[in-house]
Amino acid sequence: MPVTEPIRIVIIEDEASIRRFLRAGLPTGEVDWHEAENAAEGVRLVAQKNPHVVLLDLGLPDRDGLEVLRELREWTDVPVIILTARGQERDKVAALDGGADDYVTKPFSLGELMARVRVAVRHGSRMESIVDPIFRSDGLTIDFSARQVWVDGSEVRLTPTEYRLLALLAQHAGKVVTHRQLLKEVWGPGFEDSTHTLRVHMGSIRQKVDPDPTRPRFIRTETGVGYRLMVG
Amino acid sequence: MWAFGPEPLGDRAGYVLAIAVTAVATLFCAAMVLHVDLANLVMVYLVGITYVATRTKPRPAILASFLSVATFDFCFVHPSGTFAVADIQYVFTFAVMLVVSLLISTLTVRLREQSQAHSEAAFSARVEQLRSDLLSTVSHDLRTPLASIEGSADALLAQPELTDESRGLASTIQDQSLRMARLIRNLLDMTRVQGQIDLDLDWQSLDELAANAILRTANLFDRPVTLAAPHDLPPIKVDGVLIEQVLVNFLENAARHAGRDAEVAVVLSVEGEEIVARVSDDGPGIAPGMGERIFERFQGTRGAGAGLGLAICRAAIVAHAGRIAAMNRPSGGAEFMFALPRSEVGSNASD
């Protein structure tokens, strides 16, 4: 995406001090920043500003954040990043399965948030364009048309299931994909609870493409939530 | 349902009540005897016995039973004024009256005991719930301002015109707020593992959890922590967030006691019917005589970690029906381990 216009962000967060440090810390010029302190105002602002990304706090005073997400999803595909706390893994999963694009866990750093925002914007704008037939990130290359995978130039042999899992993560590169989403996409409806199978296949993929678990290059485990293919 | 007194009456008061109630029942029957059939007067006595049973221990209620039979016989059954019984059918009435009244008194007493036990259990469950709600609310309320402090320091550090001194101060604010966030996280975890733990069980790869724990604690070590695991380590059904936290706490403990430049290794293995994780360091080891006490609250730390970390580990592993232990290695240094039972692959579709 050509970086001509700043990223328009609407944040829906009741905590003024959090809005304030984000406003102060995010790169001015790169970001066009709009704030709402409750759900009603937030939904109105999203309709009015047509942002590239929405940052949504799950603990709002007037309404449940998940409910706000559901309402937004009735009329807009705008990428939504959830602001949440550790220990709320079920909420994270519920938000992601309910149409959120990603989440950051408080306390988060500005760098982390901006990285998530950029990924979400990239995915948001790609929806209208054609999906790139070749995925390249760091040393990982995936040719979606030939169904081939290379790591640092040498081809990696994956089983069809392993390939589909990795390709799915690559299509959502930079974003977390929940266990449920992976199972549903790769195995089909009715297999959403087969996490045992998923673990076995993911273990096998990691051994082939990401053999040093203490220094994962491509695949990150988000415990209790899902997997994320990192972007270089 | 009738109401029970909070405590049954004492012995003497109980017997007095038994006698008084029987007397009242007798007076009432005397007033009614011309209008009501004798068999129905028995009911008046039974009401009295039931009342006594609700207010007293078993013995006064039994006394009321016998007393009622005796006065009923003496005052109302022909020939009245004696304990003699002219009509043999009243012997049968007495027997039934005695059995019913004894039954009522024992059942009532038992019911009261049950209801008391129940309300005591409900009370302590509520206290536990309140305690845990309070702690998690406090932790949550502390965490939000802390996220603002940490973020503000981060935003401050992003300002290009900052002097070195200001930058140093801002990073102190950031480091310390992150440390405080860790303490609050420990507090939250402790309330979770101490209360009725609601484990979020799902299939997990222990090597992924260990790798995450190593990544999360990477800034505590100068030398990278190593991880060794067999290629065919089977998935295990656990609460992933909690088990990852156990490994993080082991690693934080190693960093605290063995230092930043310690050589720390995480080794996973399958041993019989268990999956075992070991975290070892080359530090000074565990003080002699510490033993199992190291897993108790406020033990095994020098004030740095609020002393909850290892206690959380033990509670979490126990909740998973696993084993946890700490020992000194023969080659020096400490080793912390836990073992979790291998999970059965159940009715998981497609397995």
Side-chain angles (χ1 to χ4, degrees), chain B residues 46-109:
Chain B
L46 288 180
V47 170
I49 292 161
T50 309
Y51 177 70
V52 172
T54 60
R55 302 300 312 276
T56 68
K57 291 174 182 165
R59 281 164 185 276
I62 292 167
L63 173 72
S65 305
F66 281 103
L67 220 50
S68 296
V69 171
T71 43
F72 178 66
D73 175 17
F74 188 80
C75 299
F76 303 110
V77 176
H78 181 79
S80 55
T82 74
F83 289 107
V85 179
D87 192 339
I88 195 70
Q89 70 165 317
Y90 284 107
V91 176
F92 181 70
T93 308
F94 294 157
V96 171
M97 191 174 159
L98 197 60
V99 168
V100 170
S101 60
L102 286 176
L103 259 177
I104 287 174
S105 67
T106 37
L107 283 179
T108 315
V109 166

Side-chain angles (χ1 to χ4, degrees), chain A residues 13 15 17-18 21-22 24-26 85-90 106-111 179 187 190-191 193-197 199-200 202-203 206-207 213-216 220-224 227, chain B residues 140 143-144 147-148 150-152 154-155 158-159 178 181 185 189 198-200 202-205 207-209 211-212 214-216 224-227 231 235 240-241 244-245 345 348-351:
Chain A
E13 158 73 79
E15 200 67 35
S17 53
I18 289 188
F21 88 71
L22 288 175
L26 291 177
R86 182 189 161 275
Q88 301 182 325
E89 271 65 26
R90 286 178 203 195
K106 293 178 190 172
F108 51 82
S109 71
L110 291 162
H179 303 131
W187 279 271
F191 291 92
D193 295 324
S194 308
T195 42
H196 182 271
T197 316
R199 293 291 176 199
V200 173
M202 286 306 298
R206 273 187 297 106
Q207 271 163 33
T214 58
R215 274 178 290 275
R220 278 295 267 278
T221 306
E222 307 264 333
T223 305
Y227 291 96
Chain B
H140 181 266
R143 209 156 41 166
T144 309
S148 304
E150 201 273 326
S152 301
D154 198 20
Q159 312 288 322
L178 285 174
R185 185 202 66 209
D189 283 345
D198 176 18
L199 290 178
D200 192 4
D202 199 358
W203 291 102
Q204 303 286 349
S205 301
D207 51 347
E208 288 181 5
L209 302 180
N212 265 358
I214 291 170
L215 285 170
R216 281 173 56 192
V225 173
T226 59
L227 171 63
H231 283 310
V241 174
E244 185 177 307
Q245 194 57 45
V345 179
N348 221 335
S350 87
D351 279 326

